[in-house]
Amino acid sequence: MPDPAPILQRIVEALRGQRPDEAERLARALLAQRPGDEPALALLAYSLHVQGKIEQAVGASRELTERFPHAREYWSNLATMLRECGRLDEAESAYRHALQLAPPDATLCLNLGLLLMQKGDPGASRDYLLHAHRLDPASIEIRLYAALASIECGDNHVAHRLLDDWQDWNDIAPEWWLDLGRTLGLLGHVEAAEDLLRRAATRPHERMLADARRVMLYERANRLDEARALLATLPLPERVDDADLRGDLVRLVHSFRAERHLVAINEAVRAGDSAALAAALTAAGDQAAHHVVADEAQLRAQLARWARELAALE
């Protein structure tokens, strides 16, 4: 059987030259000659991954874990690919299996912590991220996400400690602007958070999310006019993938709508305009009926009071 080294070298060169389709073709050809060849299978999985052929990459990665079950890196790679295609429970299982194969390293704990954060388990996420921090205390990325998980658990003092020297960070990667801006905003560093979120918005694929985060930052800082104006430029909140942020935006949209209704009702009452008051009450009543205000019971009580004023006007 011919020596596989020359073909493996060609695969590597194709990947370095950003020709993953060629790398895939060569890897498949080598595997046809040498089924289960470890380097060829690993390079095939990688070439499929960088092409966005995630399900095929998962298949190749799973074969690697079956053929080489004690290789932690293959389990970790499989977990990452499963996470990318939304199979979060399978991804968690693969990460946990990887952790059992050797002493934990910081990257693996970081990835599992981020996955658990994505699954809505901030407590477990924080534990793994803090463990990653103990293993690699200099990592800015780990400190950032450990701080964010700590905030979600109500441990703001831990978050402050993790980020106490953030102003001295000289190499904040652009992919961290969004989450660092969010985290600093939650800790009360409004100006720094606003600057980072504005910078994140210059990245086209992050613009909507960065602007949405800035809306919530303005609301927390009681800069409601700016929140209202920026919110009006965003697409429907339903297009935001982050469930918690989507819920916050929907609440804010409805809150501002209710505010407009209240202004219209008050103006009609002051003017003694029964027709305008009736129209405003109808609009506000429709909103309450569709559960689109934060406190429906409070609005209904207010509507009842205004209805009595309308009757008095007539």
Side-chain angles (χ1 to χ4, degrees):
M1 186 172 293
D3 181 4
I7 299 180
L8 290 171
Q9 183 60 36
R10 289 174 59 192
I11 296 171
V12 171
E13 290 173 355
L15 289 169
R16 287 175 177 168
Q18 299 184 352
R19 302 187 306 277
D21 54 338
E22 179 184 340
E24 177 191 349
R25 177 179 58 78
L26 290 169
R28 289 190 185 281
L30 182 55
L31 286 166
Q33 298 175 6
R34 302 170 62 90
D37 181 86
E38 182 177 0
L41 193 54
L43 289 168
L44 174 62
Y46 181 78
S47 67
L48 291 167
H49 187 208
V50 297
Q51 290 180 85
K53 299 178 179 180
I54 300 299
E55 290 293 345
Q56 293 181 57
V58 166
S61 294
R62 194 177 295 283
E63 184 177 347
L64 281 165
T65 64
E66 292 168 353
R67 290 181 177 274
F68 310 99
H70 300 296
R72 182 171 68 181
E73 64 271 23
Y74 295 146
W75 285 98
S76 179
N77 291 343
L78 172 62
T80 298
M81 294 177 191
L82 287 167
R83 180 185 173 196
E84 288 184 18
C85 59
R87 294 156 65 176
L88 302 187
D89 290 341
E90 293 177 73
E92 181 181 350
S93 177
Y95 276 136
R96 291 188 182 280
H97 188 83
L99 280 171
Q100 295 173 2
L101 295 176
D105 64 29
T107 299
L108 188 53
C109 290
L110 167 65
N111 288 335
L112 180 53
L114 292 175
L115 172 67
L116 292 167
M117 184 184 294
Q118 185 178 354
K119 291 184 69 176
D121 189 347
S125 171
R126 176 197 56 190
D127 291 344
Y128 278 103
L129 291 168
L130 289 176
H131 189 43
H133 173 60
R134 288 191 290 273
L135 293 169
D136 185 2
S139 169
I140 290 175
E141 182 180 16
I142 291 173
R143 291 170 65 185
L144 165 59
Y145 291 108
L148 184 55
S150 296
I151 291 170
E152 292 185 355
C153 293
D155 294 336
N156 283 24
H157 66 288
V158 173
H160 278 292
R161 177 174 55 79
L162 287 164
L163 302 183
D164 60 355
D165 62 344
W166 66 268
Q167 292 174 309
D168 299 328
W169 295 353
N170 297 318
D171 187 22
I172 301 175
E175 59 266 28
W176 299 336
W177 289 343
L178 182 64
D179 287 329
L180 181 57
R182 174 191 177 192
T183 305
L184 291 177
L186 292 170
L187 292 175
H189 301 289
V190 176
E191 291 185 5
E194 181 179 10
D195 176 65
L196 285 163
L197 292 174
R198 285 185 183 276
R199 286 197 278 174
T202 64
R203 293 160 57 85
H205 64 289
E206 290 185 341
R207 179 174 180 176
M208 183 176 72
L209 187 54
D211 284 345
R213 294 282 183 209
R214 192 150 52 93
V215 168
M216 302 314 302
L217 175 71
Y218 290 156
E219 188 212 16
R220 284 191 298 273
N222 202 31
R223 293 162 58 177
L224 298 183
D225 288 343
E226 291 169 272
R228 192 179 295 108
L230 183 55
L231 183 60
T233 70
L234 296 179
L236 293 175
E238 287 75 10
R239 292 180 55 188
V240 176
D241 291 334
D242 185 299
D244 291 336
L245 178 59
R246 184 169 61 247
D248 286 339
L249 289 173
V250 169
R251 173 187 57 76
L252 200 55
V253 166
H254 298 331
S255 175
F256 287 151
R257 286 178 184 168
E259 182 181 278
R260 289 198 299 273
H261 291 317
L262 298 182
V263 169
I265 291 168
N266 277 321
E267 289 177 350
V269 169
R270 285 196 299 270
D273 187 337
S274 60
L277 181 55
L281 285 168
T282 298
D286 287 344
Q287 189 171 358
H290 286 88
H291 302 274
V292 295
V293 291
D295 190 342
E296 182 184 346
Q298 183 179 7
L299 178 59
R300 287 194 178 279
Q302 186 71 355
L303 290 176
R305 290 193 293 273
W306 277 313
R308 291 193 292 272
E309 295 189 37
L310 174 60
L313 287 174
E314 295 173 338

